[in-house]
Amino acid sequence: MERMPRLYRRTRQRGGVLLGLCAGIGAHLGLDPALVRLAALLLVFLHYAGLAVVIIYVLFALCIPYEPEEAS
């Protein structure tokens, strides 16, 4: 059985924009980070509980670690 990659936040050098959370989720799920960012923005602006989405985003950003640097 194939294992999914571990969920990490991405740094700016690896594709992260704000906190690297959408880029990390995209890499974890095998999706384009732009699609994850678009989905997050749509949830914030079109969902009746947009503030809850922002709070969950910040909590995830605090709990999910940055991707470790590869040893060169």
Side-chain angles (χ1 to χ4, degrees):
M1 186 163 94
E2 188 175 331
R3 296 185 70 195
M4 292 183 78
R6 188 171 166 146
L7 179 59
Y8 288 112
R9 289 170 43 201
R10 294 269 173 115
T11 60
R12 289 191 189 269
Q13 294 81 14
R14 301 282 314 254
V17 174
L18 184 62
L19 296 174
L21 190 60
C22 289
I25 290 172
H28 179 72
L29 297 176
L31 298 173
D32 184 14
L35 292 175
V36 178
R37 289 182 191 111
L38 180 64
L41 284 174
L42 287 174
L43 281 173
V44 168
F45 290 115
L46 299 178
H47 196 268
Y48 67 93
L51 182 61
V53 174
V54 172
I55 292 171
I56 291 170
Y57 181 87
V58 171
L59 288 175
F60 277 10
L62 292 173
C63 296
I64 298 173
Y66 275 110
E67 187 173 32
E69 295 293 323
E70 296 174 1
S72 343

